[in-house]
Amino acid sequence: QVQLVQSGAEVKKPGASVKVSCKASGYTLSRYHIHWVRQAPGQGLEWMGIINPSDGGTGYAQQFQGRVTMTRDTSASTVYLDLRSLRSGDTAVYYCARVEFQSFHLWGQGTLVTVSS
Amino acid sequence: SYEVTQAPSVSVSPGQTASITCSGEKLGGRYVSWYQQKPGQSPVVVIYQDTNRPSGIPERFSGSTSGNTATLTIRGTQAMDEADYYCQAWDSSNVVFGGGTKLTVL
């Protein structure tokens, strides 16, 4: 079964970092770009950036530059999102999604990250 | 930075046609996708590359673009179509989402 399976919910304190994983199964990770999208409670979708699992190339949304890193481990068929200097506004559900035909056809189940003191 | 705009809410009676629009500069020259999201669930693509419907998406969903506007049309709207809908476009290599439209079927 083709799917993206994300790691579990996290609770972090302000200023901390979080690392969310997204494991691909049922297909070869390197064949498709993976994007990260987040959604704050009651809010819309916000694009964070892209990773090309084939070569590790990345591109980040301007508002996250300097605070986010996306990496991959092809041997584990997994991509990672690392977000640093967390603040309350980073409380959100974080999704990984696979691009095909310039559209997100496959999404992970989402990972809730809560930032609270 | 590039932006696309959606109305926050649309209401439709069961069996009628719902139209959800997305506006942005020269949007007709960019590929637009539409996503349906129900509470507590991940988004699901219902239209991609302006007009294409993925397998498994009912034929009552259709998409179109013209000028600065893309439109998602749901014909014969059913109660199960009540959800948030997001348009999405590309700005160079960046992704842009609309703010979302809550479709209420009543």
Side-chain angles (χ1 to χ4, degrees):
Chain A
Q1 182 182 3
V2 176
Q3 58 182 349
L4 296 171
V5 179
Q6 299 182 222
S7 49
E10 303 263 11
V11 179
K12 297 292 183 180
K13 294 191 182 302
S17 298
V18 69
K19 192 167 188 174
V20 180
S21 67
C22 170
K23 182 176 176 61
S25 62
Y27 78 97
T28 302
L29 177 69
S30 60
R31 289 193 61 190
Y32 299 91
H33 293 177
I34 296 288
H35 294 238
W36 289 91
V37 176
R38 75 177 186 179
Q39 185 172 37
Q43 302 301 308
L45 302 172
E46 181 178 26
W47 180 73
M48 299 183 71
I50 175 179
I51 181 167
N52 178 352
S54 179
D55 62 8
T58 56
Y60 305 133
Q62 186 174 5
Q63 62 266 38
F64 298 105
Q65 295 269 1
R67 217 163 56 95
V68 68
T69 303
M70 297 175 189
T71 57
R72 94 292 193 207
D73 180 347
T74 53
S75 67
S77 296
T78 302
V79 298
Y80 301 92
L81 169 71
D82 197 330
L83 188 62
R84 302 176 291 279
S85 302
L86 291 169
R87 41 211 184 224
S88 59
D90 293 318
T91 293
V93 175
Y94 290 76
Y95 295 101
C96 59
R98 187 183 87 172
V99 167
E100 197 174 358
F101 302 116
Q102 298 186 305
S103 182
F104 301 114
H105 287 252
L106 182 67
W107 294 71
Q109 82 276 19
T111 297
L112 175 62
V113 175
T114 302
V115 183
S116 174
S117 55
Chain B
S1 61
Y2 188 75
E3 295 182 354
V4 291
T5 303
Q6 298 181 241
S9 62
V10 168
S11 297
V12 64
S13 299
Q16 299 304 301
T17 297
S19 295
I20 299 172
T21 60
C22 176
S23 300
E25 186 177 352
K26 298 179 181 178
L27 187 59
R30 309 169 189 259
Y31 274 138
V32 175
S33 298
W34 290 93
Y35 302 88
Q36 176 192 71
Q37 187 182 34
K38 297 182 178 180
Q41 298 183 16
S42 300
V44 173
V45 60
V46 294
I47 295 291
Y48 68 98
Q49 290 182 330
D50 296 341
T51 61
N52 294 301
R53 192 176 56 249
S55 61
I57 300 301
E59 292 183 7
R60 62 180 181 272
F61 289 87
S62 64
S64 63
T65 63
S66 178
N68 294 332
T69 302
T71 303
L72 172 68
T73 301
I74 310 173
R75 291 183 169 78
T77 306
Q78 300 182 9
M80 67 172 65
D81 300 330
E82 186 163 287
D84 294 325
Y85 291 85
Y86 296 91
C87 62
Q88 173 254 311
W90 292 82
D91 176 32
S92 183
S93 56
N94 295 331
V95 172
V96 178
F97 287 100
T101 297
K102 180 175 182 59
L103 178 67
T104 301
V105 183
L106 45 67

